[in-house]
Amino acid sequence: MCGIFAYLNYNVNRERRYILQVLFNGLRRLEYRGYDSAGISIDDYFSVSRNPNTPQPSSINSLSSSPLVFRQEGNIESLVKSVYQEVAATELNLEESFTTHAGIAHTRWATHGVPAPRNSHPQTSGSGNDFLVVHNGVITNYEVLKETLVRHGFTFESETDTEVIPKLAKFVFDKANEEGDQTVAFNQVVLEVMRHLEGAYALIFKSRHYPNELIACKRGSPLLLGVKELNDDVCNGSAFHDAKFLSKNGNPKELFLSSDANAIIEHTKKVLVIEDGEVVHLKEGGVSILKFNNDKGRNGDSLSARPASVQRALSILEMEVEQINKGKYKHYMQKEIHEQPESLTTTMRGRLLRGGSCKAKTVLLGGLKDHLKTIRRSRRIVFIGCGTSYNAALAARPILEELSGVPVTMEIASDLLDRQGPIYREDTAVFVSQSGETADTLLALEYTLENGALCVGITNTVGSVIARNTHCGVHINAGCEIGVASTKSNSCDGHVSFGNWR
Ligand code: GLU
């Protein structure tokens, strides 16, 4: 599970040095997800002298720019080192200030092609970096797309599946221009690209044809938008949550895109969880969203249907910056092990009740109460998860069977899918995933919903796909999703096995 991050400052001056720091810190926050290489892209304004003593025109942002790309295999610190070395060698001015600027960053966990600078992201459409893309996930039909693009004269420099995406964007853009559409919008280009992509992805696009704009879209892999308004009156006003306000607003602001909240929380708590099929366009201080709806289009799939404009409101992240720091610990795993007592207390807070006429102690997990009868009448309870989540559920099985009297079985999500194992309407399926976004678990959820079972989720992440797509479930409130230890400690505990999405 790699990470993507982007930072766009609008109507507020930020030096290149600061922009780099925000991007690097974003990557550091995503580091725990695992990766083998990293990269970033920022703007260069080659028509401006790099001598800091040369006065710069105030209209710096309107000058043509060529995005710079830095990629390195290994850890983020080796990327940081190589960027500053290159900056020094090319005399790139770190004090140069941008009123508006869009930067993107990526940590890669190689699926196609060895870890190497050429395979790291951003992947590019070719020399000139007309289109750049950072990608989480896998494009399953990349070979076919690659063959077609090669036939149209594109040459590939990486072994990644991702490289077809920026090249396809360039192909779509050039074609629109050849056909006389000089005004094709960035989101139209990306919508057309998405129509051709199969697989799972979260993507961020940057283009020299659309300076200071970014496009984010996703199918399967997680992606969040963070919004930080820099105008106090606005921040304190209630209008902030208004979707219309978000989509049309010229106030100075900073926008962040990230695979998870860890990289956003230190900047803002106001986020939008981007949904599958959405194309989020950051342009001129506004956020507009187009969504492929679920209706089938002319080719019988949702991607050939016409996308519609959607309005969304921001939500507030319920986590604190301290939760994502390692504190006095050397590793996140170590921190989570030591935090287990606190995590257990937090998980149980407000859920352990005492009182009533018989003074009985009981566990209340709110919203599941509407489904308890169904769960009790289930033919079996099937736990579905991957890795540590699976093991945590396995550890919870004895106590669940003992307390519920219902047989509990276990499924590794990918195995259930491979076998197309039997799931019945009379089953209760419990999906365990700390992030709430585990790819195989999500596919197993789709499969189980189709088979008509009651679907319960157990996750740490409010607003995650599992939280949204199950019938009911439990947020385990075990701090932020940094690693796996806290999931294990909490979901092993019988007290958190049933509850409400709250
Ligand atoms: N499949 C892409 C690659 O191998 C992205 C992998 C990732 O999610 O980091 O480059």
Side-chain angles (χ1 to χ4, degrees):
M1 201 169 51
C2 51
I4 56 184
F5 183 75
Y7 169 54
L8 194 153
N9 57 299
Y10 174 73
N11 249 346
V12 50
N13 281 329
R14 294 286 182 243
E15 289 185 350
R16 181 177 275 123
R17 184 190 302 282
Y18 179 87
I19 291 166
L20 281 173
Q21 277 165 4
V22 173
L23 292 175
F24 291 144
N25 278 341
L27 289 184
R28 288 186 186 109
R29 298 294 187 209
L30 299 176
E31 206 166 11
Y32 77 93
R33 297 162 66 95
Y35 67 106
D36 49 50
S37 29
I40 59 162
S41 173
I42 55 167
D43 283 342
D44 177 23
Y45 289 85
F46 48 74
S47 50
V48 175
S49 165
R50 290 186 187 138
N51 181 342
N53 300 322
T54 308
Q56 290 171 356
S58 56
S59 59
I60 189 166
N61 283 314
S62 64
L63 295 172
S64 67
S65 70
S66 168
L68 299 170
V69 174
F70 303 90
R71 301 182 297 199
Q72 238 347 291
E73 89 182 73
N75 64 17
I76 289 161
E77 297 321 313
S78 42
L79 173 74
V80 174
K81 206 169 137 202
S82 73
V83 169
Y84 286 120
Q85 274 168 359
E86 217 169 311
V87 161
T90 55
E91 293 182 36
L92 190 66
N93 182 3
L94 290 179
E95 274 74 52
E96 194 170 315
S97 189
F98 298 83
T99 316
T100 302
H101 178 279
I104 58 175
H106 185 260
T107 48
R108 174 175 189 244
W109 192 326
T111 62
H112 294 68
V114 294
R118 69 176 183 288
N119 288 333
S120 308
H121 303 205
Q123 285 288 310
T124 173
S125 57
S127 62
N129 295 331
D130 290 26
F131 289 88
L132 291 165
V133 168
V134 288
H135 169 214
N136 273 188
V138 170
I139 303 301
T140 45
N141 64 336
Y142 81 100
E143 278 162 326
V144 163
L145 294 173
K146 193 167 174 175
E147 273 170 29
T148 314
L149 289 163
V150 167
R151 274 206 302 279
H152 283 88
F154 284 88
T155 46
F156 282 72
E157 64 166 36
S158 81
E159 292 98 59
T160 64
D161 50 336
T162 306
E163 196 179 353
V164 296
I165 307 172
K167 290 192 159 61
L168 193 53
K170 181 167 166 48
F171 178 74
V172 170
F173 177 84
D174 289 348
K175 197 156 170 268
N177 276 270
E178 271 163 35
E179 288 167 3
D181 184 2
Q182 313 290 339
T183 56
V184 59
F186 200 1
N187 55 1
Q188 295 303 327
V189 174
V190 174
L191 284 165
E192 190 52 34
V193 170
M194 267 179 96
R195 284 197 171 94
H196 294 88
L197 299 182
E198 286 169 18
Y201 52 84
L203 302 169
I204 302 177
F205 289 76
K206 173 176 168 65
S207 170
R208 68 191 299 245
H209 297 293
Y210 304 96
N212 308 324
E213 296 181 33
L214 289 177
I215 301 266
C217 61
K218 75 168 218 100
R219 221 160 241 290
S221 305
L223 201 53
L224 292 165
L225 167 73
V227 179
K228 181 177 180 184
E229 294 272 358
L230 299 166
N231 175 334
D232 276 344
D233 295 344
V234 176
C235 283
N236 296 330
S238 56
F240 193 88
H241 297 289
D242 187 333
K244 274 199 199 114
F245 191 77
L246 174 69
S247 59
K248 194 152 184 57
N249 159 358
N251 295 312
K253 61 172 73 71
E254 293 180 301
L255 300 170
F256 305 86
L257 290 161
S258 175
S259 307
D260 73 41
N262 292 345
I264 292 183
I265 187 71
E266 66 201 90
H267 301 287
T268 178
K269 287 190 168 188
K270 279 137 188 159
V271 297
L272 188 86
V273 181
I274 301 174
E275 292 182 2
D276 277 358
E278 287 184 343
V279 175
V280 177
H281 191 176
L282 313 185
K283 182 183 175 185
E284 292 166 1
V287 178
S288 58
I289 306 172
L290 287 174
K291 185 175 176 109
F292 285 105
N293 56 35
N294 289 327
D295 301 341
K296 304 285 185 234
R298 61 182 187 281
N299 299 338
D301 58 21
S302 63
L303 286 184
S304 56
R306 266 181 85 80
S309 166
V310 287
Q311 299 253 316
R312 305 266 312 278
L314 297 173
S315 8
I316 307 295
L317 279 174
E318 284 175 25
M319 63 193 275
E320 299 300 330
V321 178
E322 300 75 61
Q323 288 178 277
I324 57 168
N325 292 334
K326 279 186 276 197
K328 60 184 179 189
Y329 302 104
K330 210 168 153 208
H331 304 287
Y332 284 118
M333 176 67 91
Q334 197 184 21
K335 177 177 186 248
E336 290 179 353
I337 288 167
H338 286 276
E339 279 179 353
Q340 284 183 71
E342 202 188 320
S343 295
L344 279 171
T345 313
T346 316
T347 302
M348 291 190 275
R349 187 167 294 133
R351 291 168 169 174
L352 295 184
L353 302 181
R354 165 198 297 261
S357 51
C358 58
K359 298 268 181 249
K361 293 176 190 165
T362 181
V363 176
L364 178 73
L365 293 162
L368 269 201
K369 66 182 187 304
D370 292 342
H371 298 272
L372 273 180
K373 268 196 191 143
T374 319
I375 294 168
R376 282 192 181 285
R377 280 202 303 256
S378 302
R379 174 170 166 164
R380 54 179 187 157
I381 297 171
V382 188
F383 271 86
I384 300 169
C386 301
T388 302
S389 296
Y390 172 86
N391 288 322
L394 191 61
R397 172 157 69 174
I399 193 161
L400 267 167
E401 277 187 337
E402 189 186 321
L403 292 176
S404 67
V406 181
V408 177
T409 64
M410 315 294 303
E411 290 283 358
I412 294 173
S414 56
D415 190 45
L416 174 72
L417 290 165
D418 285 349
R419 295 178 359 253
Q420 296 283 293
I423 294 285
Y424 306 102
R425 293 180 65 80
E426 301 78 21
D427 288 338
T428 293
V430 186
F431 295 84
V432 187
S433 162
Q434 172 150 279
S435 64
E437 306 273 356
T438 312
D440 286 337
T441 311
L442 291 182
L443 290 173
L445 171 59
E446 259 175 47
Y447 172 73
T448 308
L449 285 168
E450 277 163 21
N451 284 282
L454 176 73
C455 293
V456 180
I458 297 181
T459 174
N460 214 14
T461 313
V462 179
S464 60
V465 181
I466 287 188
R468 291 199 309 270
N469 293 359
T470 42
H471 297 114
C472 52
V474 186
H475 287 124
I476 53 178
N477 299 343
C480 69
E481 50 152 335
I482 287 291
V484 291
S486 53
T487 308
K488 191 170 180 184
S489 65
N490 286 286
S491 54
C492 280
D493 184 282
H495 297 290
V496 297
S497 298
F498 296 104
N500 193 12
W501 282 126
R502 66 192 170 105

